[in-house]
Amino acid sequence: LKKADVGATSNVLLLHATGFHGKVFPSSFVDCFAPNNVFSMDIRGFGDSSRWEGEKPLWKDLVSDVLTVVRNCEAFLAQ
């Protein structure tokens, strides 16, 4: 999970297509969402995220990962 600290009004989570990583969003693009907290995450197996073990994850597994990040954004902001 990466955070671009552009403010504190709301939280915005940017997701990339599989095969990319969270750094695909340039800072000028992130600035469009000011004054919000802007996050990007690496989908499982891409970018800085850990590789999955066993079979490739199903789409429902990736959705579960995203929902986990959304549910934990407040704790991440408190760090």
Side-chain angles (χ1 to χ4, degrees):
L1 186 66
K2 304 281 190 261
K3 178 184 174 198
D5 208 354
V6 295
T9 304
S10 297
N11 299 322
V12 176
L13 177 63
L14 304 177
L15 295 175
H16 58 79
T18 55
F20 292 94
H21 51 74
K23 296 174 189 162
V24 73
F25 303 108
S27 60
S28 58
F29 179 77
V30 171
D31 290 343
C32 293
F33 293 96
N36 301 292
N37 289 312
V38 180
F39 299 87
S40 66
M41 63 176 276
D42 288 328
I43 299 297
R44 189 187 316 198
F46 298 95
D48 292 332
S49 70
S50 58
R51 300 291 295 174
W52 55 83
E53 295 187 22
E55 296 183 33
K56 290 184 179 180
L58 301 173
W59 283 108
K60 68 178 185 162
D61 299 321
L62 302 178
V63 169
S64 176
D65 293 346
V66 171
L67 291 175
T68 298
V69 168
V70 168
R71 291 182 185 119
N72 289 291
C73 271
E74 286 187 24
F76 181 75
L77 286 170
Q79 296 179 0

